[in-house]
Amino acid sequence: MHEVGFHFTKVGEAGLVDLIAETLPWANQKLEHQRLENEGYHFTWYEKLPEELFHSISDVSKKWLQGAREKHFSVGRFDEAYVLSSGVGVVRKEQQIVGFITSQPIDDEQIGYDLLRILPDQPRELADYLLANLFVTYQKKGYHEANLGLAPLANVGETDFSFFEEKVMHIIYSYGNFFYSFQSAYEEKVKYVTRWEGRYFAYMKGSSFVFATFQLFILIGKGKGKNPSLAEEVLTEL
């Protein structure tokens, strides 16, 4: 695409989990997961979510959001038709649904996940419990890799030999949490990842790299269902 007028800059790395390795990255969490199961938590996988469970899943999602608006560019958002057509893993305590995770098929060998939400009053370890059980489900289905998605700006611009644009990205990673929780996104994935793949941002030659970058990260952090701020409108239209 250089030939048709585009520049490229690295904007992060996607985390991939090897599902056929001898040593699985979540094996050291077995004791924690056993503790959760002893306390009454258990995981159930649905190839397609039964409609009668949708209300409970929706309630978890609303409480997880805590009034925040849904993202609608960088990740999926909670939508009835989307959720009912997805594979869904559910965690219950006794009989109450307290969390869920949705699958995101990519190809015959690789699969990811999209929504992962738990009730605010539940242990944070439930997120890991959901992921680990999802990985086991994927293994049984014969997938080779799980794609944990992009860690925006992870491992970008960290060396003296990095390009100027990458160093700008690194500054945003370090100080730009008002756009997105960049470092948290990386830390949540790194414990599982067996390899990282770079991801790149294309922008037109002659355009402002700084404005193009701000537009990109406003889109990443932008939510659905509320009016955008004046700053968002201006930056995304420039």
Side-chain angles (χ1 to χ4, degrees):
M1 292 181 69
H2 283 289
E3 293 80 7
V4 293
F6 286 91
H7 288 301
F8 295 89
T9 297
K10 186 178 180 181
V11 292
E13 295 188 336
L16 301 172
V17 182
D18 186 349
L19 297 177
I20 58 176
E22 290 185 12
T23 303
L24 301 175
W26 60 91
N28 61 355
Q29 300 178 28
K30 285 184 178 179
L31 289 177
E32 180 62 37
H33 297 165
Q34 186 61 56
R35 179 185 67 81
L36 290 171
E37 290 175 356
N38 290 341
E39 292 177 1
Y41 294 96
H42 58 281
F43 177 87
T44 307
W45 171 256
Y46 297 97
E47 291 291 341
K48 187 175 180 181
L49 186 73
E51 289 191 21
E52 61 267 23
L53 298 183
F54 179 78
H55 177 75
S56 296
I57 295 293
S58 178
D59 185 59
V60 170
S61 181
K62 289 174 183 176
K63 290 177 179 176
W64 179 86
L65 283 169
Q66 296 182 314
R69 57 187 182 177
E70 291 268 13
K71 300 287 190 293
H72 70 111
F73 179 80
S74 57
V75 295
R77 61 190 177 90
F78 192 89
D79 175 82
E80 181 173 0
Y82 172 60
V83 172
L84 288 175
S85 64
S86 300
V88 180
V90 168
V91 61
R92 294 178 173 87
K93 184 172 185 182
E94 308 303 342
Q95 299 303 314
Q96 180 192 5
I97 293 177
V98 296
F100 68 93
I101 189 168
T102 63
S103 69
Q104 188 177 58
I106 298 171
D107 57 38
D108 291 340
E109 295 187 352
Q110 190 179 107
I111 189 166
Y113 77 94
D114 194 0
L115 304 176
L116 194 170
R117 300 182 176 183
I118 61 176
L119 290 175
D121 61 352
Q122 296 298 312
R124 294 187 63 182
E125 294 83 2
L126 281 185
D128 291 321
Y129 181 73
L130 278 164
L131 273 172
N133 278 282
L134 187 68
F135 295 155
V136 171
T137 300
Y138 289 167
Q139 279 183 307
K140 292 176 179 177
K141 290 177 171 294
Y143 287 102
H144 295 179
E145 282 187 320
N147 189 322
L148 301 188
L150 179 69
L153 307 189
N155 303 318
V156 176
E158 295 182 337
T159 72
D160 293 339
F161 302 102
S162 299
F163 293 115
F164 167 76
E165 292 85 355
E166 293 174 345
K167 291 182 177 180
V168 171
M169 295 289 193
H170 184 67
I171 292 171
I172 297 173
Y173 176 81
S174 300
Y175 303 105
N177 279 348
F178 57 92
F179 285 117
Y180 192 86
S181 298
F182 297 109
Q183 296 176 35
S184 295
Y186 174 77
E187 291 165 0
E188 289 167 0
K189 301 177 193 298
V190 70
K191 67 183 114 178
Y192 294 110
V193 170
T194 47
R195 70 183 179 93
W196 294 94
E197 282 187 351
R199 294 292 184 264
Y200 296 85
F201 166 48
Y203 60 99
M204 290 292 296
K205 292 178 181 178
S207 63
S208 167
F209 166 75
V210 173
F211 276 113
T213 301
F214 274 106
Q215 288 173 326
L216 172 66
F217 290 109
I218 282 175
L219 284 172
I220 288 174
K222 193 175 182 182
K224 183 81 171 178
K226 292 185 179 179
N227 293 328
S229 68
L230 177 60
E232 287 178 334
E233 288 184 337
V234 169
L235 283 169
T236 53
E237 292 298 327
L238 285 174

